[in-house]
Amino acid sequence: MEASSLQAVVQFPHLFKPPSCMQNERPMNTGARKLHGKFPSLTDTRVPRRLFLQFMGYNHLLSYACPVLAAPMLEMTEPEVIRTQKLANGVRFQDVVEGDGPEAQEGDLVEVNYVCRRSNGYFVHSTVDQFSGESMPVVLPLDENQTIKGLKDVLVGMKVGGKRRALIPPSVGYINENLKPIPDEFGPRRSLFSHAKEPLVFEVQLLKVL
């Protein structure tokens, strides 16, 4: 280590040039004079401790030992909280986006896009193509005799442009196979009814009140 440091002084003397207040050399002892006589290119120069530590990577190590000194403090912002509401029938929902259009009322016809998943996140069906992004909205009557009650209750009170995410228990879900929304394709319809006895997650966007 001493040899490599000494070699660095020889090869890069400008890095270790002392300030004017430290240019007075110490008197050489007898051994130093003999060494200087044999190796005249080597000089006994006092190196400032701070400059030496910087050259040896001290500042780099300081960033690991005390990161507060190495990086500026980031401003902390409070995260937005999405509140969950619970209905008496067990439905839980969140307002992901609050709409600003007309409000849907009981008995209305509404046009919506939705994504249906199992409670573990497994995809079941959607009116929006996952690859192309093309949507095929469906029209639902806000009537529990025609639309699953849980989804109907979520849509009532929504405003056009709004989006809600809801967890719908099976007791207010597909209690029979005639309730909407039902996929037109056989595969998605079969997948939907195979999970009808478990909670389903609907993310629904209200497009129009007809």
Side-chain angles (χ1 to χ4, degrees):
M1 179 64 182
E2 293 179 357
S4 62
S5 300
L6 188 61
Q7 184 179 4
V9 175
V10 175
Q11 292 179 352
F12 306 100
H14 62 282
L15 295 179
F16 294 89
K17 184 178 180 181
S20 58
C21 63
M22 301 184 66
Q23 288 182 350
N24 295 328
E25 296 183 357
R26 293 178 300 175
M28 294 184 182
N29 55 31
T30 305
R33 288 194 185 94
K34 293 180 180 180
L35 181 64
H36 184 67
K38 294 181 179 180
F39 303 96
S41 62
L42 301 180
T43 58
D44 182 18
T45 304
R46 296 185 66 183
V47 179
R49 177 181 176 86
R50 182 176 180 182
L51 185 61
F52 179 73
L53 290 175
Q54 286 181 341
F55 181 76
M56 297 304 293
Y58 178 76
N59 283 348
H60 182 67
L61 295 177
L62 181 63
S63 66
Y64 289 93
C66 189
V68 174
L69 300 178
M73 182 71 71
L74 297 177
E75 182 180 354
M76 300 298 292
T77 57
E78 184 176 349
E80 183 180 355
V81 176
I82 301 179
R83 299 185 182 279
T84 300
Q85 301 182 51
K86 183 178 180 180
L87 303 180
N89 57 19
V91 173
R92 297 175 183 266
F93 71 89
Q94 299 172 329
D95 278 298
V96 180
V97 177
E98 292 188 6
D100 55 6
E103 184 175 312
Q105 304 290 336
E106 188 97 26
D108 286 342
L109 280 175
V110 296
E111 183 177 278
V112 302
N113 272 326
Y114 72 89
V115 179
C116 177
R117 295 183 176 90
R118 298 174 63 187
S119 58
N120 61 3
Y122 182 84
F123 177 81
V124 178
H125 183 251
S126 176
T127 59
V128 180
D129 189 276
Q130 292 180 299
F131 301 101
S132 67
E134 182 181 357
S135 65
M136 298 181 63
V138 296
V139 175
L140 299 176
L142 298 185
D143 179 356
E144 63 186 72
N145 294 318
Q146 301 180 63
T147 301
I148 58 174
K149 178 175 172 54
L151 185 57
K152 185 270 294 182
D153 291 344
V154 169
L155 288 167
V156 170
M158 280 187 69
K159 293 183 178 180
V160 171
K163 180 185 291 185
R164 285 179 174 175
R165 185 182 298 116
L167 177 66
I168 299 178
S171 58
V172 287
Y174 289 96
I175 57 176
N176 68 65
E177 297 185 358
N178 297 319
L179 295 175
K180 299 179 180 181
I182 302 175
D184 294 330
E185 302 85 358
F186 173 77
R189 186 166 62 248
R190 180 180 179 182
S191 175
L192 177 65
F193 290 137
S194 68
H195 303 297
K197 294 184 179 181
E198 61 184 77
L200 294 174
V201 176
F202 275 84
E203 189 164 311
V204 59
Q205 181 179 21
L206 181 58
L207 302 176
K208 296 178 182 179
V209 176
L210 304 176

